[in-house]
Amino acid sequence: VQLQASGGGLVQPGGSLRLSCAASGSIGSINTMAWYRQAPGKQRELVATITSGLSTNYGYSVKGRFTISRDDAKRTVYLQMNTLKPEDTAVYYCNGAVRRAGSRSYEDYWGQGTLVTVSS
């Protein structure tokens, strides 16, 4: 099982970006998916989560600006980021609770990270 994140880049303050994270491999089902981020010199922090039932939760600093969504047919989670600020600059990581085909339990998987830089 692999999670592949994409969509990062350089954007000006006030701009938008959309991150994607696609899961691949021998997958039975995916439960909660999430985005985290880690800025230079800081600890990794939760950005947003989305359950298999489409319930969402957001970190305080991104609430109202970011939107998490998922497409289970594509095994992909998205993060739409609007009104970006310089303090949103970080490496963004996707995370998923994945049950491999033939397994009874869920395991935690991480994507490789994608860099988002907000700067003029």
Side-chain angles (χ1 to χ4, degrees):
V1 173
Q2 289 188 326
L3 270 60
Q4 181 73 39
S6 61
L10 174 65
V11 62
Q12 291 188 341
S16 298
L17 275 179
R18 188 195 196 202
L19 305 182
S20 300
C21 176
S24 62
S26 183
I27 295 172
S29 60
I30 304 176
N31 199 345
T32 298
M33 303 188 80
W35 287 95
Y36 289 76
R37 68 185 182 186
Q38 187 166 18
K42 295 187 177 181
Q43 290 187 334
R44 189 173 296 190
E45 66 171 343
L46 175 68
V47 175
T49 64
I50 184 166
T51 69
S52 57
L54 304 182
S55 294
T56 59
N57 185 47
Y58 295 92
Y60 178 79
S61 62
V62 307
K63 199 171 293 186
R65 299 187 297 123
F66 291 9
T67 302
I68 190 170
S69 61
R70 61 191 286 168
D71 183 335
D72 287 334
K74 297 181 179 179
R75 294 175 174 172
T76 299
V77 63
Y78 304 96
L79 185 69
Q80 177 66 43
M81 305 185 293
N82 298 329
T83 319
L84 282 160
K85 305 175 181 180
E87 51 263 44
D88 294 318
T89 295
V91 177
Y92 284 70
Y93 298 91
C94 59
N95 168 269
V98 180
R99 181 180 62 81
R100 290 180 296 169
S103 173
R104 294 184 177 181
S105 61
Y106 286 86
E107 299 175 62
D108 220 23
Y109 288 88
W110 291 88
Q112 83 287 4
T114 184
L115 177 63
V116 173
T117 304
V118 184
S119 176
S120 55

